[in-house]
């Protein structure tokens, strides 16, 4: 198993969304970051949208804790929220500050439709469905960044810090933990043969839709931003 | 199949909650209605609490429509909400008026804990889980009243109108429809062998808990009411 | 008051989103329908996406019934769901059939990101917020179609039936009812001076965001569709 | 301001629920703990039910993080979940172990109706309403234990450790923080004069209902438990 393999459900879902998964994880935006040709303005644009994204993404993990079926699921979900809110977001604010965007500018970022589409899709999948629907919709973000990071961990150039974060051991461990959480949650509710049940198709469809929305996020990140304050 | 059989899931869930199901559907309150010894004040008390109950029960069916997975599920759930809000509740208000309780008095009813416990349990099961969790928690109300009505449809005495409603063909048809909705929803998501999956235990547990909360509702209905306006 | 005025909140919200409201309600797609230059394939594309939209929009109104604060709110919301599911959607299916799209093809439509973005935004606003948040996010759809219909009710040409529906008395009455529902819901919760409260900015922001997502829906409808079955 | 005063909203809500608040915070169960006459079996019964309570209470705080309107609200809510899941619950498990109840026995505890009624009321208030509804329903638990602890912090006897926890500086600080969170959340959404708005009555009603459900929890704790494994 290579280090970007994050469990059984991930393998099944990724295979069923293969063409879309490739487009997402090998997106032109990622390639321009990797080869260093991405204009800094586009990186700043991405950072700002990603800040708004992280707020809603944290809310989605909080919803996962509210919908957890075991103390263990609750512990993993709440630890993730805690890490996002008390570690990632302050780090993100610091990174943006280095790029000359202060916290007020960050907060004033207009959330673009392609950004909003993904987080609301995830949250709504969670509210209308159960813990598993939420996990299937969340997975492409966490595990896709993991796959990109694992593939490009050793990139050098202006964006190497970004790749080091997502390719680094800490984030890769998180990905394996999330993959294991998902696998256990599936088996705990639906049994070892969950992949044969009708519900499996619904979950794979949500994973695929979320993967397409991640493509849309990169498309947006490549597009010159509107003039924000 | 007797006319109080409402499908496969109902049979499985009822059997797994058997002792509690018996207590609920043969509760002293029901027996006193059937043999005509129930004091009218206790019936009025029940009607008032049931009015508040119906509001939240309608909300739960509306949530079912929001969480439906197919147009057919949505159509059944929304037809049920419509019948509850536009037929049952006006009927309930009319029945209460005959007992000398006007609409303002009805609206001023203090929702008692045993009443609230059941409806909030149902709604929360639906919000935190999916359509199936909502159905498992809703079922004891609809199908339990159906079972009581089917058993005692021919009772005469002061409360015969009540038994005629729940034992009548219209309500019995609704029960069979709800039973079929549940069976189809289970198979559609979890396949024919859903009863063998771990989730089956969770759903049976919710059915049983809701059955116990229905017992609590009857206990409350037998207890002299607090002095409401 | 002209017949496309639907109450006080609508006026306030529309004014605060003025530029976006104009783009949405005078969108190129609408103008091409009005002057008859819209290619039929683009209309079929729109109808198919709108079918998927209506499913989620019905779910949003069902959620409104679940979140209603009074019987009256519940009655209006549940009547809307009922009309959508039992009247609008069968009508939509019939219209599509005339265009040669049978029900199976309709069901097989791939929900595009710009479509999904709006309905999930609405549903999530409702789940995460309260009845008012849901109303603010729903309003641009109902009332925007009302405004377009009122302005262009007398258009003739290949799409005149479409304009007659939304400009017709039945739909205009629905718009006034929804406008009144919103105004009453606001006053009932926040008092006559609700527009001066901090929450008013949040609601106006949601109305504006939803208006932008409606623009995105028209943009999508103008774009040649992907090849669906 | 005495050290059991936790802010403006708390004062308003407690005053509007005064008789019920007194019954809750001076309940016979509390008095028997304070004077040392409570049978140990009843304390163990309470601990077991409280364990189940804490699981759902943590879920409610996680829902608060999902429904937060600012990063600050999210940070407070998620820190509370984290403390509950990663500190309080392990502590609770340790306390129970000292009383001879191992983790399996704890997990096998049957959740009683009076326990369930409160947590589901809170969660449902949160799901159906917004962040403020959730706070109003959560407040009586956190702040009521704070009030009891502050009043009886210096009790000695078999239950002094319990009183020291809730009367201790750490828990009192938490209460003040929660009180401040609520005050800020109200002002941020509804302005300084929120207490004059119609919504204030709804929130006070939820606080009062939750206070009554806390009474029911103590009633249950005083009642000999059913025979659990």
């Amino acid at each position: 198993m290579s280090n970007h393999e994050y469990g059984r459900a991930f393998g099944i879902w990724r295979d069923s969304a293969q063409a879309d998964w490739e487009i997402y994880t090998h997106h032109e935006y990622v390639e321009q970051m990797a080869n260093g040709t991405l204009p800094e303005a586009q990186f700043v644009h991405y950072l700002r949208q990603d800040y708004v994204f992280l707020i809603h993404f944290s809310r989605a993990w909080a919803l996962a804790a509210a919908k957890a079926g075991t103390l263990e699921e609750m512990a993993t979900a709440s630890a993730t929220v805690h890490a996002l809110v008390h570690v990632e977001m302050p780090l993100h604010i610091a990174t943006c500050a280095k790029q000359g965007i202060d916290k007020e500018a960050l907060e004033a970022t207009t959330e673009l439709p392609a950004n909003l589409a993904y987080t609301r899709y995830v949250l709504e999948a969670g509210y209308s469905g159960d813990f598993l629907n939420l996990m299937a919709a969340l997975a492409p973000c966490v595990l896709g960044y993991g796959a990109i990071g694992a593939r490009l961990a050793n990139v050098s150039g202006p964006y190497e810090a970004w790749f080091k974060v997502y390719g680094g051991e800490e984030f890769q461990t998180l990905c394996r933990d999330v993959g294991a959480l998902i696998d256990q949650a599936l088996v705990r509710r639906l049994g070892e043969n969950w992949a044969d049940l009708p519900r499996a198709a619904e979950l794979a469809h949500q994973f695929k839709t979320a993967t397409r929305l991640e493509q849309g996020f990169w498309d947006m990140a490549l597009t010159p931003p509107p003039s924000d304050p």
Side-chain angles (χ1 to χ4, degrees), chain A:
Chain A
M1 193 176 87
S2 83
N3 73 344
H4 60 278
E5 293 290 340
Y6 311 122
R8 184 177 162 220
F10 171 62
I12 292 171
W13 292 343
R14 185 194 51 191
D15 289 353
S16 78
Q18 197 164 2
D20 284 310
W21 185 260
E22 290 302 306
I23 295 171
Y24 160 37
T25 56
H26 293 74
H27 194 278
E28 176 66 16
Y29 189 90
V30 175
E31 303 311 309
Q32 290 190 14
M33 275 205 287
N35 64 30
T37 59
L38 185 79
E40 192 180 334
Q42 291 309 121
F43 188 62
V44 169
H45 173 38
Y46 160 79
L47 285 176
R48 293 183 70 159
Q49 291 295 322
D50 200 40
Y51 175 79
V52 181
F53 178 88
L54 279 173
I55 292 173
H56 296 288
F57 199 65
S58 303
R59 292 173 53 223
W61 275 102
L63 185 61
K67 294 203 152 208
T70 63
L71 256 182
E72 204 181 0
E73 286 174 6
M74 197 184 290
T76 306
S78 75
T80 306
V81 180
H82 201 259
L84 282 163
V85 174
H86 296 270
V87 182
E88 289 292 309
M89 298 210 53
L91 193 68
H92 205 89
I93 291 168
T95 306
C96 290
K98 277 187 216 155
Q99 301 281 351
I101 320 156
D102 65 18
K103 197 160 175 245
E104 264 142 68
L106 260 189
E107 304 263 340
T109 303
T110 298
E111 187 181 24
L112 292 179
N115 185 352
L116 173 161
Y118 182 29
T119 56
R120 299 320 191 278
Y121 178 76
V122 170
L123 280 159
E124 199 274 329
Y127 276 122
S128 288
D130 66 4
F131 188 81
L132 297 179
N133 297 109
L134 190 47
M135 287 300 117
L138 276 174
C141 176
V142 184
L143 306 182
Y145 274 54
I148 293 167
R151 179 168 65 88
L152 298 166
N154 299 318
V155 149
S156 60
Y159 303 112
E160 65 182 67
W162 191 92
F163 289 104
K164 278 199 196 336
V165 167
Y166 295 108
E169 193 43 39
E170 196 178 346
F171 193 78
Q172 293 297 319
T173 300
L174 172 69
C175 289
R176 284 188 294 266
D177 289 350
V178 168
L181 170 70
I182 292 172
D183 283 346
Q184 287 156 14
L186 281 159
V187 171
R188 185 181 165 273
R189 287 161 177 83
L190 305 178
E192 285 293 343
N193 300 319
W194 65 264
D196 302 332
L197 303 178
R199 256 208 100 175
E202 178 198 28
L203 297 170
H205 180 74
Q206 291 185 307
F207 182 91
K208 187 180 191 167
T209 302
T211 297
R212 288 184 176 175
L213 295 169
E214 282 281 12
Q215 294 170 16
F217 194 97
W218 288 138
D219 290 346
M220 168 202 76
L222 260 189
T223 308
S227 53
D228 252 332

